[in-house]
Amino acid sequence: YMQKSQYHILLESIDNSRSTKAVTTLKTNKIIVDDPYDKLTAFNNLSKLLTIEKPNPIISYIFLTDNCNFRCRYCFLKSVVKSPQYTMDIKIANQVVETIAKYSLGKPEYTIYFFGGEPLANKDVMFYISNELNKVDGKKFKYSVQTYGSLLDEETAILLKKYHFSV
């Protein structure tokens, strides 16, 4: 964006055919062009400058449990849940796996964020989901878990490493 005064100076420069540094830069980058100029070529040049080519990742957030061994004042669950009421079971986990496998088709990457309360309070289901998703052909899943780490033990650390979790 430009200030109004700069805009008028630019317009005068263009109208008077004076070459200023700004006009030269805009012309060099094909943002403004001399007539006659192919508009499609100008559009394609601008598109190339603005386009970032990278895979279109898909992200799922999986709420494993509202159970937590901390009672933080700032926790969003504190205002919603007075006592733990939800922990995902294998039946729901299978539905989660099925849904993610379906919606991740054709996508080169898929990122899974496990959270909760304390997701490691339901680590068996978390690792079950990770294991089942890793069986999906041609899919690269990335896993992440939001945790305080207070329930982290050696076995859990080994599994986090096995599935390449970000913690």
Side-chain angles (χ1 to χ4, degrees):
Y1 297 113
M2 328 183 153
Q3 294 177 349
K4 194 172 187 176
S5 61
Q6 291 174 319
Y7 175 72
H8 289 295
I9 291 169
L10 179 62
L11 285 179
E12 281 180 32
S13 297
I14 293 170
D15 290 340
N16 297 331
S17 298
R18 290 185 306 183
S19 181
T20 65
K21 185 177 180 180
V23 171
T24 304
T25 302
L26 292 171
K27 284 183 176 183
T28 301
N29 288 307
K30 308 268 191 257
I31 305 300
I32 58 173
V33 295
D34 296 317
D35 282 333
Y37 192 80
D38 180 13
K39 291 179 184 176
L40 181 59
T41 302
F43 174 78
N44 288 335
N45 288 337
L46 184 58
S47 293
K48 286 177 189 174
L49 288 171
L50 299 176
T51 302
I52 300 172
E53 294 184 26
K54 61 181 179 180
N56 181 17
I58 300 230
I59 300 171
S60 286
Y61 293 87
I62 300 175
F63 186 78
L64 291 171
T65 182
D66 60 9
N67 189 12
C68 185
N69 55 328
F70 285 92
R71 296 292 175 255
C72 302
R73 290 183 296 160
Y74 58 82
C75 182
F76 75 96
L77 285 174
K78 183 179 177 183
S79 62
V80 178
V81 179
K82 299 300 178 206
S83 62
Q85 300 173 1
Y86 175 77
T87 297
M88 183 183 290
D89 59 22
I90 294 297
K91 182 178 177 183
I92 299 296
N94 283 323
Q95 290 176 324
V96 167
V97 169
E98 183 180 311
T99 301
I100 290 173
K102 176 182 171 185
Y103 288 107
S104 67
L105 289 175
K107 302 295 179 184
E109 273 185 10
Y110 201 108
T111 303
I112 310 290
Y113 290 98
F114 293 99
F115 75 107
E118 172 53 59
L120 294 183
N122 197 11
K123 65 184 177 185
D124 292 339
V125 170
M126 181 177 78
F127 291 124
Y128 174 81
I129 291 171
S130 304
N131 186 59
E132 292 302 304
L133 286 174
N134 280 355
K135 295 176 185 177
V136 176
D137 288 336
K139 188 66 55 208
K140 182 179 179 185
F141 289 97
K142 292 183 176 182
Y143 302 105
S144 183
V145 61
Q146 181 180 349
T147 178
Y148 281 110
S150 65
L151 300 178
L152 191 60
D153 56 23
E154 187 176 345
E155 176 189 353
T156 304
I158 290 169
L159 289 170
L160 289 170
K161 184 176 180 179
K162 175 183 175 181
Y163 293 109
H164 307 286
F165 266 80
S166 294
V167 180

